[in-house]
């Protein structure tokens, strides 16, 4: 009678969510750990499964811009412009929350982060669910994000009731977060939509777009077990490799094809751990386009990796 934990049964996922359970949700960014955003007990299960502090706000996923408008008390012009341009897609907007949005979801804030994900299975689920799904990345707190259904199972095991398998994530990096609740929108986290593309639609209030500073984003995050060293030039990697005594080393050049690298970045970090790599050297892409988000995630991953902990 035991049922498969990974599958493509949207009916089953819906039933679990309505009953307050947790579902692994495929999106174009990374896999989410989804619960009904209107059920306190279900939301509490997300924090318990991830080992995530309750003060770290969750992004609420909805099926359409109309549903996003329903979850906020004031829908700013900037959110309308960004949502109508980039949704469904890897962009979250922070807006003032509607009274019915639980503070358990928003980490106690009066604002809520909203996103319409660009993945057909997620949209089908959300459209039939007819409500918001709170969904942070489906990994243990501080660890590498999941980009396949199997990654979710590896990380969360039996604490997730069912995992919808939507294949490997296309973008592979978390969404760009834009705070639209203030007069001038600000990028809180670089991500799948580049700052340059955001600036084509709205004027941004800050030029410090390089590193994420949304609440709950810590300097150490997305961390593999291996020692991660970030380099600007390939020649530096050659020098460091030669001067280092261990044999279990790997060099990855993220500067050649940043978009392609982004989609497989978390899988490659996981593979390094599976292969028991001790030292990983990554050559960084330029800080433009998706390169900004890659540098943000890898800088945090390096902070959390072995070389920073002792
Ligand atoms: P993740 O756990 O990777 O899904 O990331 C969720 C991100 O969204 C975290 O960095 C949160 O800090 C951010 N976030 C969620 N809600 C808000 C909010 N109301 N204001 C600012 N950032 C938010
Ligand atoms: Mg995360």
């Amino acid at each position: 009678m035991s049922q498969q934990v990974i599958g493509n049964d949207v009916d089953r996922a819906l039933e679990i969510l309505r009953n307050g359970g947790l579902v692994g949700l495929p999106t174009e960014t990374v896999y989410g750990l989804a619960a009904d955003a209107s059920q306190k007990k279900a939301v509490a299960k997300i924090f318990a499964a991830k080992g995530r502090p309750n003060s770290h706000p969750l992004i609420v996923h909805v099926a359409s811009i109309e549903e996003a408008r329903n979850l906020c008390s004031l829908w700013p012009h900037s959110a309308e412009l960004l949502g109508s341009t980039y949704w469904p897609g890897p962009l979250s907007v922070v807006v003032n929350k509607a009274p019915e949005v639980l503070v358990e979801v928003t980490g106690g804030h009066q604002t809520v982060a909203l996103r319409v994900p660009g993945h057909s299975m997620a949209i089908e689920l959300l459209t039939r669910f007819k409500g918001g799904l709170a969904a942070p990345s489906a990994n243990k707190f501080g660890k590498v994000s999941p980009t396949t259904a199997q990654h979710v199972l590896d990380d969360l095991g039996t604490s997730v009731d069912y995992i919808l398998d939507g294949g490997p994530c296309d973008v592979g990096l978390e969404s760009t977060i834009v705070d639209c609740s203030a007069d001038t929108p600000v990028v809180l986290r670089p991500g799948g939509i580049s700052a340059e593309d955001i600036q084509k639609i709205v004027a941004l209030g800050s030029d410090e777009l390089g590193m994420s500073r949304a609440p709950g984003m810590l300097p150490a995050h997305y961390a593999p077990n291996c020692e991660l060293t970030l380099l600007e030039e390939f020649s530096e990697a050659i020098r460091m490799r030669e001067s280092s005594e261990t044999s279990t080393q790997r060099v990855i050049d993220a500067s050649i094809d940043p978009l392609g690298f982004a989609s497989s970045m978390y899988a490659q970090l996981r593979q390094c751990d599976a292969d028991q790599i001790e030292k990983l050297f990554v050559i960084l892409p330029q800080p433009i386009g998706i390169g900004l988000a890659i540098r943000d995630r890898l800088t945090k991953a390096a902070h959390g990796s072995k070389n920073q902990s002792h």
Side-chain angles (χ1 to χ4, degrees), residues 50 52 57-59 94 106 109 111-113 135-137 174 177 188-189 214-217 222:
K50 279 183 65 83
R52 175 169 165 132
L58 307 175
I59 295 172
V94 173
T106 67
H109 294 268
T111 52
V112 62
S137 52
E174 293 79 0
I177 303 178
L188 298 181
R189 177 175 76 181
M217 297 296 302
Y222 317 106

Side-chain angles (χ1 to χ4, degrees), residues 57-75:
L58 307 175
I59 295 172
V60 178
H61 295 70
V62 289
S64 64
I65 195 164
E66 290 75 27
E67 288 203 30
R69 288 193 204 107
N70 290 336
L71 294 177
C72 71
S73 57
L74 181 81
W75 185 243

Side-chain angles (χ1 to χ4, degrees), residues 15-306:
E15 193 188 332
I16 290 167
L17 289 166
R18 288 183 182 129
N19 289 324
L22 296 182
V23 167
L25 177 72
T27 82
E28 81 284 33
T29 59
V30 302
Y31 271 70
L33 181 62
D36 182 350
S38 70
Q39 294 187 45
K40 272 187 203 177
K41 277 189 183 163
V43 171
K45 286 183 191 169
I46 293 178
F47 290 97
K50 279 183 65 83
R52 175 169 165 132
N54 289 357
S55 59
H56 290 208
L58 307 175
I59 295 172
V60 178
H61 295 70
V62 289
S64 64
I65 195 164
E66 290 75 27
E67 288 203 30
R69 288 193 204 107
N70 290 336
L71 294 177
C72 71
S73 57
L74 181 81
W75 185 243
H77 197 51
S78 55
E80 178 66 27
L81 285 171
L82 289 170
S84 57
T85 307
Y86 292 121
W87 281 349
L91 170 79
S92 302
V93 297
V94 173
V95 292
N96 289 307
K97 75 176 194 70
E100 62 270 26
V101 174
L102 298 173
V103 285
E104 286 77 2
V105 168
T106 67
H109 294 268
Q110 286 307 309
T111 52
V112 62
L114 301 169
R115 175 165 111 84
V116 179
H119 189 292
S120 56
M121 202 179 248
I123 291 291
E124 183 192 344
L125 183 77
L126 284 162
T127 305
R128 292 178 58 195
F129 184 69
K130 297 187 181 23
L133 291 177
S137 52
N139 53 286
K140 288 283 185 190
F141 180 63
K143 295 296 182 185
V144 180
S145 302
T147 54
T148 66
Q150 187 62 45
H151 291 164
V152 180
L153 187 62
D154 293 345
D155 285 5
L156 299 177
T158 52
S159 53
V160 54
D161 298 299
Y162 187 58
I163 303 165
L164 277 175
D165 190 352
C169 302
D170 282 345
V171 177
L173 290 184
E174 293 79 0
S175 59
T176 306
I177 303 178
V178 181
D179 185 354
C180 295
S181 68
D183 286 345
T184 314
V186 172
V187 173
L188 298 181
R189 177 175 76 181
I193 304 271
S194 71
E196 293 90 332
D197 284 342
I198 302 282
Q199 263 162 326
K200 285 180 198 153
I201 308 298
V202 295
L204 291 170
S206 167
D207 54 4
E208 297 169 49
L209 305 173
M211 285 289 282
S212 53
R213 53 211 156 85
M217 297 296 302
L218 304 176
H221 212 115
Y222 317 106
N225 295 327
C226 58
E227 180 184 316
L228 173 59
T229 304
L230 305 180
L231 305 167
E232 298 289 344
E233 302 280 343
F234 190 76
S235 55
E236 288 181 69
I238 301 300
R239 260 201 319 278
M240 299 215 41
R241 253 180 82 92
E242 281 168 357
S243 65
S244 178
E245 68 290 354
T246 70
S247 55
T248 47
Q249 302 180 22
R250 185 165 291 172
V251 178
I252 299 175
D253 191 347
S255 69
I256 297 170
D257 171 19
L259 263 183
F261 172 75
S263 69
S264 67
M265 182 177 89
Y266 290 129
Q268 291 195 58
L269 293 182
R270 285 167 181 269
Q271 194 58 49
C272 285
D273 287 343
D275 296 344
Q276 298 187 314
I277 295 293
E278 287 173 11
K279 292 184 183 223
L280 170 63
F281 301 94
V282 180
I283 295 108
L284 293 170
Q286 294 293 305
I288 49 169
I290 195 83
L292 210 55
I294 292 171
R295 293 174 72 101
D296 171 64
R297 302 306 189 278
L298 286 178
T299 303
K300 291 178 179 220
H303 262 96
S305 83
K306 270 185 185 165

